[in-house]
Amino acid sequence: MCMCHNPINCIVPPHMLDVMMLRGDKSVRKMAESLMKVSDSVREDRAAHSGSGVVPTAAGAGTFVSRALALGAADAHTCDRRVHDGDEKAALPGNLVRGEGDAATGDEEVDRAYDGAGDVFNLYSEEFDRNSIDGFGMPIVQTVHHRRNYNNAFWNGEQMAYGDGDGEIFQTFTELSVIAHEISHGVVQHSGGLIYQGQSGALNESYADVFGAMTQQRSQGQDVYQADWLVGKGILGPNINGVALRSMKAPGTAYSDALLGQDPQPYHMDFYVNTTSDNGGVHINSGIPNHAFYLYCMYLGGNAWERPGQIWYKALQKINNPHATFGDWAAQTLDASIELYGAGSYEMMMLRRAWNLVGIDI
Ligand SMILES: [Zn+2]
């Protein structure tokens, strides 16, 4: 069964759950089965919200920003983090345990979510002049300890939620690249969106991975050569044979495990996976644009959030095509490179070469 038809952006893809259902013992099978059901109910929730025609945001914050704009203070970006404790229950958002400016709580999950959201906010604000998820100072709402032993994290259209993991397959989800990945799904949604199906869905996933890795690299002061290019490093349980959920440097090599199976990501169009599961392989074929970004960074050197990040961000703001294919996206990044660095620039030539190397001609 397909897990998410609507844009519920989970970090753990359904193909991993499928393999767990097939290979796991009784308790693992039960866990995988219940995760699929949970995704369905989250989906229905989301459908109910979108039925109202608006994605609710905090009206108060919007009003504040409008006032600030009216007063000519458009530059002022204000971070408004709200971390809730789900208390291992399903209800969202749960109890507010740390608001903006509050001291650390001592609960590692709460404090990592808080600090991580700050790193993401700062990346978008300082490098891309974007004021939070929607560009208008939207509060960053996160729930930790979501459900009991829950093996996933997601953006549901309004907020992030993170399970604690079951301690065996996953040990946490409040890891910086995961936090930044989920928040970046919100940025995609508020930038015109990329439909969560097929190639546009894989581009949505890839954008979230690119900005997830970028946030981590920036917070650790790593240039493109120092970075490990892993998404979800350290979230796998101690006995799982793998290093992360995905590798942008070497898609298809993040894990190889009796229970989780083999990382199925391709790095080239020749190995593009045609499938009806995972919304048409959104977490699988994202390996191709992920690898193009990585290769481009290797050509340019420096920091990912500088020239490559600027091009990717501009492309997202300009594409205006929720059904974009890989080819459409690559062409949009080429336009952005010309706009930012000039026709015939080194940045433009190397970008064309990076896309060609993954089998996309522009
Ligand atoms: Zn995702």
Side-chain angles (χ1 to χ4, degrees), residues 89-104:
K89 296 188 175 72
L92 291 173
N95 296 320
L96 180 65
V97 286
R98 191 171 176 192
E100 187 61 39
D102 292 349

Side-chain angles (χ1 to χ4, degrees), residues 9-11 181-182 185 196 205 208 246 283:
N9 306 122
C10 302
I11 193 87
H181 174 107
E182 297 306 337
H185 276 310
Y196 209 55
E205 268 305 309
R246 292 183 278 281
H283 294 89

